Amino acid sequence: DGKQKILPQPLSPDDCEIVEALYQKIAKLRAKSTPITDQIMNETQSLLKSDSKYKVALTRRGDSFRIVKRPASSFSIFSGDVCLQRGYGPYTVEGEEEELSLGPVGHLIFVVHGIGEAMWSRPDVPVPSMIEEMDKARFEIHKLQVREWKEACKATEDQKKVPLPPPPHRIELLPIQWYDRIHSSSTSLMKSLGAVTITSIPALRAIANDVVFDVLMYQTPSFCKEVLNCVTTQINDLFVGFQTVHKNFTKEGGRCSIIGHSLGSIIVWDLLSVLKMKQMKGSKADNNGRSLGTPISIDTLCGNAAVATDESPEEYSWGPILQSPMEETISFQPEFTMFLGSPIGIFLTLRGAHASFDALRGEKPGEISSPFTLPTKNVYNIFHPSDPVAYRIEPLLLPEEFGNAVPAAAILDSSGLRFHVKAKQMQENVINQIKVGTKTFGNIFSKVSDVVSTGNLKDLESVVPQKKEVNCPDSLSFALGGASNPRVDYCLQLGLVDNEYLSALTAHTSYFTNGDILQFIVNKSMANREWKDVDLQDLT
């Protein structure tokens, strides 16, 4: 076609590092709206290592900037500027600007996936994998942080105050994957499973083998311990590696938290249970003042009575069942622990944990909720009302005789309570009051009719309504939630046109895209945190 064809020529690795360092500096300055002066442009020029006759420099074209390769000397006989391109084509990295606008990592969150990750990770399955979900969630969280920071800066400017708020330290999400420990095709177990699987309806059988199989395997003591060891090792190794890169993380008050989704929440609960057991091991009394008698081994506390103690092993049925003690535990106490779409309630019910929680409350007369806690500052059990996998935890922390007479879960309103949710709550309250009033009036009318028909007026005293046998207050606090968090169960708000049964199809896989949850994570990660100023010399 007569046009000259341009072929990009890559720079040497050493020169690439020089160019990338310049790009990162300019990107940070642009993200912070810092003016790029001629002095900064002159200071950022650097000689190339592979050819000292050239240097890399920044040029201005209107409001935009370009990185070029130009002769080191202004009197050089070599050709003029050569525009450098980052990559082989024009592209933008989603979330890069937001990430560079924020300060160093101040809150590190480990996320443990749930059931079916072996299936979701396959390229032929449309459901996003854990890695993809974390990338999107991280981007949205950084957008929320930047938006709140810019709003705070604007409010400060409107009030004519100085200085402006420093950029908040960013929140980092690190996924923890354990599914390959069970689903590795090289294991004899998976080979046996493949051999016994009937070949008909392969799509449905794949769901059974890749999704339901996770739950069944975790119920076995040997694989339960293998998964817990896998997750524990990953968390500790990643934490050590993270601190190697971010050397000032701990010194500057960085915090760690854990999120578990689906079966991952059971794994997180059991990790914290093992940590609690380790803290209790060898002591004569735990933080609730209970006498434990002889030293207790970890596997006994997990419900496996391998070592005799003065206490019944059923008292510790809230933990996992292991054949032998775990040698390693997570190396930190989480700032908060969050369960999303969690079946913890049914797992604890099957383990018989309700009686254990009741026994703890019995040793502290006057308390309605159980004083049971885990080694984490706060616990949040968040669920979608249409999620068929999710269960509540709070009823297990209340006396068994309460039955269904327990307060409703708190509404997660981190982004504000929606109007249609308020209207629905008011409607339900009115209907409940009418039902109670109608039932009470009906009972009184029936009893009065009976008394009048018998002619015995003394029986009218029995017509007066008696006090309810079960009276659970609407306002309760649970020690498990934490000192600053009286509740444990939080229910997501339904949309205006959501259908409960249709929502059930996607509810369990939509937690990391839910705006209320992401805002909740930002709020709790930055709560009571005084962020330190970023040294602007590091950015120029």
Side-chain angles (χ1 to χ4, degrees):
D1 55 4
K3 294 183 179 181
Q4 186 178 6
K5 188 175 183 180
I6 299 176
L7 294 176
Q9 297 296 322
L11 297 177
S12 67
D14 291 337
D15 291 344
C16 285
E17 291 182 2
I18 296 174
V19 177
E20 182 65 18
L22 173 59
Y23 171 81
Q24 294 292 345
K25 287 183 180 180
I26 301 304
K28 288 182 179 180
L29 292 173
R30 292 296 298 270
K32 291 176 61 61
S33 300
T34 302
I36 299 178
T37 62
D38 292 339
Q39 180 182 355
I40 293 177
M41 294 176 63
N42 292 330
E43 291 175 351
T44 54
Q45 297 185 28
S46 301
L47 289 175
L48 295 177
K49 292 183 178 181
S50 62
D51 190 349
S52 59
K53 298 184 181 67
Y54 289 93
K55 62 183 178 181
V56 59
L58 186 69
T59 62
R60 186 196 306 269
R61 178 175 295 181
D63 294 332
S64 62
F65 294 87
R66 305 178 76 179
I67 299 177
V68 299
K69 173 184 175 182
R70 63 170 47 155
S73 173
S74 57
F75 301 102
S76 174
I77 61 174
F78 298 101
S79 58
D81 293 350
V82 176
C83 183
L84 298 180
Q85 182 172 282
R86 192 167 182 254
Y88 286 98
Y91 70 92
T92 57
V93 179
E94 188 179 40
E96 184 178 30
E97 181 179 354
E98 287 79 5
E99 182 174 328
L100 294 175
S101 301
L102 300 169
V105 178
H107 204 120
L108 178 62
I109 303 177
F110 298 96
V111 185
V112 183
H113 70 75
I115 59 175
E117 189 63 21
M119 172 172 283
W120 317 144
S121 299
R122 296 209 305 256
D124 58 326
V125 177
V127 179
S129 67
M130 178 70 162
I131 302 297
E132 295 170 332
E133 284 193 321
M134 288 304 98
D135 289 341
K136 293 179 181 178
R138 186 186 299 109
F139 169 56
E140 294 298 330
I141 286 175
H142 290 168
K143 281 178 60 177
L144 290 173
Q145 286 188 278
V146 171
R147 186 189 68 189
E148 292 181 358
W149 171 52
K150 289 183 176 179
E151 289 175 353
C153 289
K154 186 177 184 305
T156 304
E157 289 178 342
D158 293 343
Q159 298 173 7
K160 302 186 183 313
K161 294 182 179 180
V162 291
L164 295 178
H169 292 198
R170 75 177 188 268
I171 300 168
E172 181 60 63
L173 304 178
L174 291 183
I176 303 297
Q177 295 182 299
W178 52 265
Y179 72 93
D180 54 340
R181 284 298 183 98
I182 290 182
H183 291 271
S184 174
S185 58
S186 61
T187 63
S188 59
L189 179 67
M190 293 306 298
K191 292 179 180 178
S192 298
L193 179 64
V196 300
T197 300
I198 302 174
T199 57
S200 60
I201 53 172
L204 294 180
R205 298 196 187 277
I207 294 176
N209 288 354
D210 291 338
V211 180
V212 181
F213 183 72
D214 291 344
V215 180
L216 299 177
M217 288 306 303
Y218 192 73
Q219 297 280 40
T220 63
S222 59
F223 278 89
C224 176
K225 183 179 179 181
E226 185 174 353
V227 170
L228 292 178
N229 281 330
C230 171
V231 174
T232 301
T233 301
Q234 280 193 65
I235 290 178
N236 290 340
D237 289 348
L238 284 174
F239 189 41
V240 171
F242 179 84
Q243 289 179 303
T244 302
V245 176
H246 304 269
K247 300 184 183 299
N248 296 326
F249 176 74
T250 304
K251 188 193 311 181
E252 295 181 353
R255 302 175 181 179
C256 296
S257 297
I258 304 180
I259 296 177
H261 173 237
S262 187
L263 183 61
S265 63
I266 308 294
I267 297 172
V268 173
W269 175 283
D270 288 344
L271 288 180
L272 295 177
S273 298
V274 172
L275 181 59
K276 180 182 179 74
M277 297 160 193
K278 180 180 180 181
Q279 295 172 349
M280 295 167 57
K281 183 181 179 181
S283 63
K284 293 183 179 180
D286 69 357
N287 57 357
N288 292 322
R290 291 179 294 136
S291 174
L292 300 181
T294 58
I296 299 174
S297 69
I298 293 179
D299 52 347
T300 302
L301 290 178
C302 292
N304 181 12
V307 179
T309 66
D310 293 345
E311 304 289 339
S312 171
E314 284 74 13
E315 288 195 28
Y316 314 105
S317 55
W318 32 264
I321 299 177
L322 305 177
Q323 292 179 332
S324 59
M326 286 186 60
E327 298 178 358
E328 185 180 15
T329 60
I330 57 175
S331 55
F332 59 87
Q333 177 173 304
E335 179 71 15
F336 66 77
T337 301
M338 191 175 296
F339 306 129
L340 303 177
S342 171
I344 287 178
I346 192 170
F347 270 68
L348 293 177
T349 300
L350 295 175
R351 292 175 180 178
H354 204 162
S356 300
F357 299 150
D358 280 349
L360 291 176
R361 185 182 53 257
E363 297 178 6
K364 286 199 172 184
E367 289 191 357
I368 297 179
S369 62
S370 173
F372 176 81
T373 60
L374 287 173
T376 177
K377 290 187 179 180
N378 298 105
V379 173
Y380 309 100
N381 178 42
I382 302 175
F383 58 89
H384 191 287
S386 299
D387 185 354
V389 179
Y391 288 81
R392 294 187 61 183
I393 297 178
E394 288 180 353
L396 298 177
L397 302 172
L398 296 171
E400 291 185 349
E401 57 267 21
F402 278 10
N404 294 327
V406 296
I411 299 295
L412 190 71
D413 57 353
S414 52
S415 300
L417 197 63
R418 299 183 181 92
F419 176 77
H420 68 277
V421 176
K422 294 181 182 179
K424 185 177 180 181
Q425 287 180 335
M426 294 176 60
Q427 179 186 15
E428 291 176 349
N429 290 337
V430 171
I431 292 176
N432 290 335
Q433 291 177 4
I434 293 176
K435 287 181 178 179
V436 172
T438 303
K439 183 177 180 181
T440 303
F441 178 78
N443 292 338
I444 294 176
F445 182 79
S446 176
K447 291 181 180 180
V448 170
S449 299
D450 294 341
V451 170
V452 172
S453 63
T454 58
N456 188 359
L457 297 181
K458 292 183 179 182
D459 290 343
L460 283 174
E461 296 178 358
S462 63
V463 175
V464 180
Q466 300 297 317
K467 186 178 180 181
K468 295 181 180 179
E469 295 181 1
V470 178
N471 184 20
C472 181
D474 294 331
S475 178
L476 280 175
S477 62
F478 297 86
L480 179 61
S484 61
N485 175 45
R487 299 300 299 269
V488 176
D489 293 339
Y490 290 84
C491 179
L492 293 176
Q493 304 178 62
L494 281 171
L496 180 61
V497 294
D498 277 353
N499 179 278
E500 291 183 351
Y501 289 96
L502 293 178
S503 298
L505 300 175
T506 58
H508 191 64
T509 58
S510 62
Y511 287 99
F512 291 107
T513 59
N514 185 282
D516 286 338
I517 290 180
L518 298 180
Q519 184 65 61
F520 192 73
I521 292 174
V522 172
N523 294 346
K524 298 306 175 182
S525 298
M526 301 178 67
N528 303 320
R529 178 72 157 87
E530 292 294 334
W531 303 109
K532 298 187 178 181
D533 292 351
V534 176
D535 189 355
L536 295 180
Q537 293 181 354
D538 295 339
L539 304 179
T540 57

